[in-house]
């Protein structure tokens, strides 16, 4: 009975994430289609609603290929690791109650999301192909660099919230969202999340003109589907995280369970649409431009803004702690 | 053929005008200074809100901490009595277990002092059942 | 030389615990702190001075007895509003500010029937001097505080330095 209950709970946690990922792929194709004056997928099911399920069926039915020179264990283990890390991250999100109530949840989010680097590196290296290795190296360098700027942006938020707990961060924004006083940080954060999830215009890992498809060239069928799901789960997760940190979670009613989760999902949809809009509008960056952006612009700027907020905090004596 | 008048095409008198090769961008949106001022305005508004919230939060934290101060002596008294009770129990158990060993002093302190040393949770519950032990050691840390 | 840990007799430390959940305790915390102020302060002073729970059992029992009396009075007079208040605190993660309405009703009831007033913010937090009959203990290993050195006397016929003050260099 306990095992049954456990399985039901696990499914109740996993299935909504997977379904949202499936429909995100459909929404992406539809939105990009309408932005380029064409219709997206509209054949499978009404308005193409069954398209993601058809895609998933196709991918999982296909034969899983492995290059004969590939490292066998790492090759199949990396996509699994990527997906598991992406799903684990979701348990820390308070909507409005987190599944895992951890005091230092934001720190845990940063740590676990940087672990995903190993999956990228492993898949790129284990494929034993120059394209995938280059794609993996690019992805890793980009992710690591942007994680630093994200951490420094979070520093300014954390001294005002006074807690690493995501729940406490949402509760501290009931009167005033964090994006108002930290407006420049919000823009930097959004661009950093774009780069962190390897989305356009920072999708240099996939650069179709130079590398065929990045670290997942050699993958087909099931493992490729795992990569795909993990990437899109990461995108939605990053959007929900930026909502919780900057836009107050379920802000006006963040203590009422159902309404708060509805508000969070509405805001998340808006941010996902922003991601797609950016993808439809902007050309790809050059790699040196990408690195300059984080190391020479965001790093000094976020440090300077941190000293500004810190001085305002000290001058106005409004630390959240009792000192 | 000589009658045919040929006229060499020449540039107009005074030459061509300057070629307009400059990039022409349509002016859109407010100017940079306006954006800067607007950003600073929104930020200062936000800071006022944030300072207000944080002071309120600090007041609430203060209140909650005071409520804890009210019950703290009671909790401490109960906890002290609990420790002594558990210590007595372990000493009784120890006396039963070690009754065959000569020169065994029941309840000997491991510290070189006559002062009271607060026993660790492990020392209090080392003779209890493992379930009880776990509850005492990690009981407050497990939550779902 | 390790010593035996002496324990007091069983009668001294057998006293029932207050059978309430944390939410009820926290929501009654302010009033409890005000009503049992004397016993609480006495006990905490004893704990701080003796650094030994075995010597403060009498004071500890006084604290518990006072708490029992307090909760008995609450139960007899304001059971309904108190229950409403602490269930609200329990369901809102022990955040007292979310239950202002229930708290107001509880305070009104307590004031009308028992004459208790909720302490002002910062009252329970104040550092207080407690008058007690218990003599100050001399702990094992305490060094008596030496008498302060007498204040140096400045001689009256002080002359100015011959070459001016040396502090001028730093000024």
């Amino acid at each position: 009975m306990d095992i049954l209950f456990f399985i039901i709970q696990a499914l109740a946690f996993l299935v909504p994430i997977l379904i949202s990922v499936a429909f995100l792929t459909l929404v992406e194709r539809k939105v990009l289609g309408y932005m380029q004056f064409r219709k997206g997928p509209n054949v499978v099911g009404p308005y193409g609603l069954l398209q993601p399920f058809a895609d998933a069926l196709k991918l999982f039915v296909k034969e899983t290929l492995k290059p004969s020179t590939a490292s066998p264990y790492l090759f199949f283990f990396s996509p699994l690791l990527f997906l598991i890390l992406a799903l684990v991250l979701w348990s820390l999100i308070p909507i409005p109650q987190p599944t895992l109530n951890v005091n230092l949840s934001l720190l845990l989010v940063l740590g676990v999301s940087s672990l995903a680097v190993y999956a990228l590196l492993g898949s790129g290296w284990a494929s034993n192909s120059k394209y995938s290795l280059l794609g993996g190296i690019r992805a890793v360098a980009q992710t690591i660099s942007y994680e630093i700027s994200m951490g420094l942006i979070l520093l300014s938020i954390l001294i005002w919230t006074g807690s690493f707990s995501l729940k406490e961060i949402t509760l501290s924004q009931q009167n005033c969202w964090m994006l108002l006083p930290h407006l420049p940080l919000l823009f930097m954060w959004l661009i950093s999340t774009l780069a962190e999830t390897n989305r356009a215009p920072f999708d240099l890992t996939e650069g179709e003109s130079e590398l065929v498809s990045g670290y997942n060239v050699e993958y087909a069928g099931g493992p490729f589907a795992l990569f795909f799901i993990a990437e899109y789960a990461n995108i939605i997760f990053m959007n929900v995280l930026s909502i919780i940190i900057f836009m107050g979670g379920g802000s006006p009613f963040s203590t009422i369970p159902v309404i708060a989760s509805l508000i969070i999902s509405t805001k998340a949809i808006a941010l996902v649409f922003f991601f797609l809009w950016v993808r439809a509008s902007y050309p790809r960056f050059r790699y040196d431009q990408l690195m300059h952006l984080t190391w020479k612009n965001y790093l000094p700027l976020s440090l300077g803004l941190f000293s500004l907020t810190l001085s305002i905090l000290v001058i106005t004596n409004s630390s959240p702690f009792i000192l | 053929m000589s009658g045919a008048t040929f006229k060499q095409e020449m540039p107009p008198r005074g030459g061509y005008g300057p070629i307009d090769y400059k990039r022409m961008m349509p002016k859109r949106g407010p100017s940079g200074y306006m954006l800067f001022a607007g950003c600073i305005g929104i930020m200062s508004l936000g800071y006022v809100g944030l300072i207000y919230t944080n002071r309120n939060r600090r007041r609430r934290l203060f209140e909650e901490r005071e409520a804890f101060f009210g019950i703290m002596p009671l909790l401490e008294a109960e906890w002290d009595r609990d420790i002594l009770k558990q210590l007595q129990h372990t000493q009784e158990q120890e006396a039963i277990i070690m009754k065959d060993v000569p020169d065994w002093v029941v309840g000997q302190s491991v510290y070189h002092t006559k002062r009271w040393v607060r026993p660790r949770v492990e020392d209090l519950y080392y003779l209890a059942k493992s379930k009880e032990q776990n509850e005492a050691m990690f009981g407050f840390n497990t939550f779902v | 030389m390790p010593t035996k840990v002496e324990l007091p007799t069983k009668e001294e430390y057998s006293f029932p615990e207050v059978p309430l959940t944390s939410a009820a305790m926290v929501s009654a915390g302010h009033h409890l702190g005000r009503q049992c102020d004397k016993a609480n302060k006495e006990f905490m002073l004893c704990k701080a001075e003796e650094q030994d729970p075995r010597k403060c059992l009498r004071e500890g029992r006084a604290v518990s007895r006072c708490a029992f009396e307090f909760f008995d009075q609450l139960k007899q007079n304001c059971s309904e509003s108190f229950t409403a208040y602490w269930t609200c605190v329990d369901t809102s993660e022990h955040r007292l500010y979310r239950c202002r309405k229930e708290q107001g009703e509880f305070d009104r009831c307590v004031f009308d029937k028992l004459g208790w007033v909720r302490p002002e913010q910062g009252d329970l937090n104040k550092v207080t001097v407690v008058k007690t009959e218990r003599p100050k203990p001399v702990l094992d290993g305490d060094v008596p505080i030496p008498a302060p050195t007498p204040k140096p006397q400045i001689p009256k016929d002080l002359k100015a330095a011959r070459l001016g003050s040396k502090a001028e260099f730093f000024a």
Side-chain angles (χ1 to χ4, degrees):
Chain A
M1 194 59 212
D2 275 357
I3 293 173
L4 191 71
F5 202 63
F6 174 75
I7 289 172
I8 289 171
Q9 276 179 332
L11 284 181
F13 173 72
L14 290 179
V15 168
I17 299 170
L18 296 179
I19 287 180
S20 64
V21 165
F23 281 109
L24 176 59
T25 60
L26 179 68
V27 163
E28 178 171 32
R29 291 173 68 183
K30 275 278 185 191
V31 167
L32 284 181
Y34 277 104
M35 278 178 178
Q36 294 157 2
F37 297 109
R38 60 187 169 84
K39 285 179 181 293
N42 59 354
V43 175
V44 193
Y47 305 105
L49 272 179
L50 295 178
Q51 181 71 40
F53 300 106
D55 284 346
L57 195 68
K58 182 202 77 177
L59 280 173
F60 281 111
V61 163
K62 267 174 87 172
E63 186 188 3
T64 53
L65 293 172
K66 183 182 85 66
S68 56
T69 49
S71 164
Y73 294 111
L74 206 54
F75 188 77
F76 288 115
F77 180 67
S78 310
L80 212 60
L81 177 71
F82 202 25
L83 180 67
I84 288 170
L85 288 176
L87 293 179
V88 161
L89 279 174
W90 274 97
S91 60
L92 300 165
I93 288 290
I95 31 176
Q97 298 290 343
T99 315
L100 255 183
N101 196 350
V102 186
N103 274 342
L104 300 175
S105 48
L106 191 55
L107 219 53
L108 194 57
V109 164
L110 283 180
V112 173
S113 63
S114 28
L115 267 184
V117 161
Y118 288 105
L120 300 183
L121 202 59
S123 62
W125 180 78
S127 312
N128 207 358
S129 146
K130 287 191 179 86
Y131 294 119
S132 64
L133 182 63
L134 277 176
I137 287 170
R138 278 185 176 191
V140 167
Q142 179 180 339
T143 317
I144 290 176
S145 304
Y146 274 88
E147 221 142 64
I148 289 164
S149 84
M150 278 168 74
L152 284 172
I153 290 165
L154 286 181
L155 213 58
S156 326
I157 309 295
L158 285 173
I159 54 162
W160 283 94
T161 54
S163 171
F164 275 105
S165 154
L166 287 173
K167 198 163 159 41
E168 194 60 39
I169 290 173
T170 44
L171 286 179
S172 71
Q173 300 177 53
Q174 272 178 333
N175 293 334
C176 168
W177 290 0
M178 273 296 166
L179 68 86
L180 290 181
H182 301 123
L183 200 61
L185 286 178
L186 172 76
F187 296 126
M188 283 156 64
W189 170 265
L190 286 179
I191 292 166
S192 294
T193 48
L194 274 174
E196 178 76 17
T197 51
N198 295 332
R199 287 289 295 175
F202 303 106
D203 55 348
L204 288 147
T205 54
E206 299 172 12
E208 287 94 348
S209 42
E210 312 124 46
L211 314 165
V212 189
S213 171
Y215 50 86
N216 51 12
V217 206
E218 305 290 349
Y219 286 88
F224 176 73
L226 295 188
F227 264 122
F228 205 68
I229 293 168
E231 249 173 50
Y232 280 83
N234 264 336
I235 290 165
I236 308 177
F237 173 80
M238 275 297 166
N239 287 327
V240 174
L241 189 69
S242 34
I243 278 156
I244 279 163
I245 290 167
F246 280 97
M247 297 168 204
S251 176
F253 308 102
S254 51
T255 52
I256 309 166
V258 181
I259 299 174
S261 45
L262 276 177
I263 289 171
I264 288 175
S265 45
T266 320
K267 288 175 183 173
I269 288 166
L271 263 193
V272 164
F273 182 73
F274 161 77
F275 264 45
L276 299 181
W277 200 355
V278 166
R279 182 178 169 177
S281 317
Y282 283 95
R284 191 174 288 145
F285 259 46
R286 225 164 54 208
Y287 203 77
D288 62 321
Q289 286 173 333
L290 176 87
M291 284 297 168
H292 273 231
L293 188 68
T294 172
W295 288 108
K296 296 199 172 175
N297 298 349
Y298 285 176
L299 192 74
L301 198 57
S302 57
L303 279 173
L305 283 168
F306 173 65
S307 62
L308 174 76
T309 46
L310 188 59
S311 57
I312 288 173
L313 182 97
V314 170
I315 288 166
T316 57
N317 184 23
S318 52
S319 147
F321 309 112
I322 301 169
L323 295 173
Chain B
M1 290 292 275
S2 60
T5 54
F6 175 78
K7 193 175 178 221
Q8 174 68 39
E9 217 172 273
M10 293 292 284
R13 207 168 282 279
Y16 286 112
I19 296 165
D20 193 9
Y21 60 87
K22 221 177 204 169
R23 192 179 176 204
M24 297 295 279
M25 291 289 276
K27 276 212 165 175
R28 285 172 62 198
S31 69
Y33 287 111
M34 282 294 287
L35 281 177
F36 209 67
C39 184
I40 287 176
I42 291 172
M43 275 171 76
S44 45
L45 207 78
Y47 273 124
V48 169
L50 211 55
I51 289 161
Y52 171 77
T53 337
N54 265 10
R55 291 195 177 158
N56 256 348
R57 282 174 68 205
R58 201 157 58 178
R59 226 167 282 139
R60 288 169 193 161
L61 192 64
F62 199 78
E63 188 193 356
E64 276 153 27
R65 209 169 280 184
E66 271 191 345
F68 179 68
F69 286 164
I71 57 171
M72 190 173 72
L74 176 63
L75 295 180
E76 197 134 313
E78 283 176 357
W79 176 230
D80 283 350
R81 269 178 265 147
D82 217 39
I83 286 176
L84 290 175
K85 206 183 286 177
Q86 193 61 36
L87 216 54
Q88 176 84 25
H89 183 69
T90 39
Q91 283 195 6
E92 280 167 12
Q93 294 287 314
E94 197 183 329
I96 293 169
I97 292 167
M98 305 299 286
K99 64 178 181 291
D100 301 331
V101 181
D103 304 338
W104 182 265
V105 186
V106 173
Q108 205 174 35
S109 171
V110 291
Y111 303 105
H112 275 278
T113 177
K114 280 177 193 161
R115 284 196 190 189
W116 169 259
V117 183
R118 185 170 163 166
R120 300 180 305 150
V121 187
E122 290 91 330
D123 291 344
L124 281 177
Y125 285 88
Y126 73 103
L127 287 176
K129 285 173 190 161
S130 67
K131 194 182 172 191
E132 223 171 291
Q133 222 171 8
N134 284 339
E135 202 150 286
M137 284 198 272
F138 310 113
F140 290 117
N141 295 338
T142 53
F143 43 80
V144 179
Chain C
M1 26 133 205
T3 49
K4 190 177 182 309
V5 180
E6 299 290 342
L7 290 180
T9 56
K10 219 164 201 169
E11 289 79 46
E12 276 191 79
Y13 56 77
S14 46
F15 199 87
E17 286 185 359
V18 178
L20 285 176
T21 61
S22 54
M25 299 266 252
V26 165
S27 50
H30 284 95
H31 286 294
L32 182 65
R34 171 52 67 83
Q35 297 311 316
C36 298
D37 193 41
K38 204 159 179 236
N40 285 355
K41 293 268 164 69
E42 184 83 37
F43 174 66
M44 292 316 279
L45 178 72
C46 175
K47 285 271 292 185
E49 277 186 355
E50 303 269 5
Q51 302 195 352
D52 189 347
R54 290 170 296 182
K55 289 175 187 162
C56 299
L57 287 171
R58 194 167 55 82
E59 284 84 355
R61 264 175 288 145
V63 167
S64 281
R65 209 173 294 125
C66 178
F68 267 109
E69 270 171 30
F70 172 85
F71 282 113
D72 276 350
Q73 271 173 314
L74 269 193
K75 197 174 181 183
Q76 278 161 19
N77 293 302
C78 292
S79 174
E80 214 163 281
S81 57
F82 179 55
T83 312
Y85 181 36
W86 76 255
T87 37
C88 172
V89 169
D90 199 20
T91 48
S92 50
E93 303 165 10
H94 290 215
R95 304 286 171 111
L96 298 182
Y97 71 91
R98 288 202 211 159
C99 303
R100 289 283 183 237
K101 208 177 60 175
E102 286 87 350
Q103 181 187 334
E105 254 164 50
F106 171 56
D107 278 358
R108 214 172 299 124
C109 169
V110 162
F111 181 71
D112 289 345
K113 298 202 173 148
L114 297 162
W116 296 345
V117 187
R118 174 173 284 264
E120 291 279 317
Q121 188 156 59
D123 270 11
L124 293 176
N125 204 12
K126 268 179 193 153
V127 178
T128 43
V129 180
V130 183
K131 196 180 174 192
T132 175
E133 279 126 36
R134 200 169 34 76
K136 189 176 183 345
V138 181
L139 293 183
D140 180 34
D142 263 9
V143 181
I145 301 167
T149 49
K151 233 178 176 179
Q153 292 290 324
I154 301 172
K156 281 197 179 139
D157 48 341
L158 260 184
K159 276 180 267 176
R162 200 159 55 81
L163 297 171
S165 172
K166 290 191 179 64
E168 266 176 31
F169 178 76
F170 299 100

